[in-house]
Amino acid sequence: MRNLVISGMALIAATYGLARFGFGFFLPRFTEAFDLSPSLSGAIQAGSFLSYCVTAAAAARLGACPRLVVACAGATAALGAAGVAAAPNAGILAAGVVIAGGGAGFATPGLVRLIERNIAAARQESAQTVVNAGTGAGIVAAGVLLILTAGQWRLGWAGIAVLSALSAAAVLRSDRSSPGPAEGESGTADPPRLRFGRLAALAKPLGKPLAAALLAGASSAAVWTFGRTVIAGAGSGTQMHSVTAWMVLGAFGVLGAFAGKLVQAASVRTAWTGTVLAMAAATFLLGVAPGTPVAAFAAAALFGGGYTAMSGVLIVWAVRAVPDQASAGTVVLFIALAIGQAAGSAVLGALFREDSPTPAFTAAAVVGILAVLPAVWSRQKTPRRLYAG
């Protein structure tokens, strides 16, 4: 269903590209308003990533109620964004950012299940990766919001709150399914509510992708938290230079919609290796040459395309490794990705220096290279067919 895919992509754009990753984009403004140190900024972003873990686990418990999960995604992101917009001090700002980050944790599990219920099995893999590419569209929207509000970040975050609520409502309106398998799918009806112990049991069949996700998440934290700060502080031009670079990151992130085709054309191992190495190279390039316009824009483009495609590959990796528990498997791997991002944000926040970002960004790039190893060492061949039947 085209409407579900479009509205699902919009919800991902709002909850991921805006509510979750918007903190890093608006960080220069927040630093001006609240005098945030790099370590505090890293801690706030880490809190946002950890709230994602909590809500993603809660979403797994509500696996039989994907409409409720989607409603929670919109409500959480909207409430947190509204808190950021009204924040009178750094404490309220931090609370708003943490709450807003939780919306994304609800969004992915709910959408994965709604796509399973509404779309035939043969088209689900492509639909999942197209919806996932909404992160890039949301990042572009963040740049547009900043331009339209003329630097008034409070208005921008009020807009994020509205977009989060509207996109969730659009997804719910697009759902035309009844609980049960989608057309052409021989699977089972909605899964029972998952207990945390059952989620933990997936750690064994998902061992290698879990390790890969943790490392990739830690590596990506450098760009998500301090990427725009580095470009803006490099003295390479006006504020519009860093805004445009961030929008380029988002625009190329939309290319993540092709992640499903990439896996089908090659393999999970090859797709993961290519996308994660692209992220690592982009992180290193941005750290060593943020003041060079060509290098900064190239790094933004490479990171945007690499990250979104990587997360799309992660979804495919989950559903191929545990096809009977696709939604839960996706939740587990995205929680691992977020835990890695939280750890990366906290550690890099302590290492980061705006006048000398190279050491922190180089360390992040090295971690990204290490994230390739679990896939390279994997001898298990995942089935090329997405769903068992």
Side-chain angles (χ1 to χ4, degrees):
M1 294 178 63
R2 180 182 301 178
N3 289 342
L4 178 61
V5 171
I6 293 173
S7 60
M9 192 175 186
L11 181 61
I12 293 297
T15 56
Y16 279 83
L18 292 168
R20 188 182 184 207
F21 293 133
F23 175 76
F25 177 70
F26 283 86
L27 182 56
R29 292 291 184 184
F30 294 151
T31 299
E32 292 174 0
F34 301 106
D35 193 26
L36 303 180
S37 66
S39 58
L40 179 57
S41 299
I44 293 173
Q45 185 75 305
S48 173
F49 290 141
L50 289 176
S51 73
Y52 172 94
C53 299
V54 173
T55 55
R61 292 271 292 174
L62 298 171
C65 308
R67 290 178 61 85
L68 174 60
V69 173
V70 166
C72 288
T76 305
L79 177 63
V84 172
N89 54 53
I92 301 300
L93 172 75
V97 170
V98 169
I99 294 171
F106 284 117
T108 293
L111 288 170
V112 165
R113 192 57 193 160
L114 287 184
I115 288 172
E116 288 176 345
R117 291 199 330 193
N118 284 270
I119 297 176
R123 295 183 293 169
Q124 286 178 16
E125 192 169 280
S126 294
Q128 300 285 14
T129 52
V130 168
V131 167
N132 184 66
T135 298
I139 292 168
V140 174
V144 173
L145 274 177
L146 190 61
I147 294 171
L148 292 178
T149 57
Q152 298 298 315
W153 59 265
R154 294 185 186 275
L155 290 178
W157 278 82
I160 292 172
V162 172
L163 290 172
S164 298
L166 291 179
S167 59
V171 169
L172 296 177
R173 185 175 181 181
S174 300
D175 176 28
R176 293 291 184 265
S177 69
S178 58
E183 179 185 355
E185 179 184 351
S186 57
T188 58
D190 280 318
R193 295 179 183 181
L194 297 176
R195 297 186 181 278
F196 295 121
R198 189 174 175 186
L199 283 178
L202 291 173
K204 184 175 181 180
L206 293 174
K208 286 188 170 61
L210 271 172
L214 281 166
L215 292 169
S219 175
S220 71
V223 173
W224 286 130
T225 305
F226 299 111
R228 187 180 170 234
T229 297
V230 165
I231 299 173
S236 54
T238 64
Q239 173 185 274
M240 185 54 82
H241 173 76
S242 62
V243 173
T244 304
W246 196 260
M247 292 173 71
V248 167
L249 187 157
F252 275 79
V254 177
L255 294 176
F258 296 101
K261 296 185 183 298
L262 178 63
V263 176
Q264 291 168 348
S267 67
V268 168
R269 181 186 303 177
T270 300
W272 178 262
T273 300
T275 55
V276 172
L277 287 180
M279 284 173 46
T283 300
F284 176 75
L285 180 60
L286 188 60
V288 298
T292 304
V294 173
F297 278 85
L302 189 59
F303 182 87
Y307 181 87
T308 312
M310 175 275 295
S311 58
V313 173
L314 205 58
I315 293 174
V316 176
W317 201 348
V319 297
R320 290 189 178 183
V322 285
D324 295 330
Q325 301 183 70
S327 180
T330 301
V331 168
V332 169
L333 293 189
F334 273 62
I335 287 176
L337 185 70
I339 291 174
Q341 289 169 329
S345 293
V347 172
L348 292 171
L351 295 176
F352 178 76
R353 297 292 180 270
E354 187 173 341
D355 59 348
S356 181
T358 301
F361 275 63
T362 299
V366 170
V367 174
I369 295 172
L370 294 177
V372 170
L373 298 182
V376 172
W377 287 342
S378 177
R379 295 182 179 180
Q380 180 182 2
K381 295 183 178 179
T382 55
R384 294 187 67 83
R385 189 176 176 186
L386 178 58
Y387 294 96

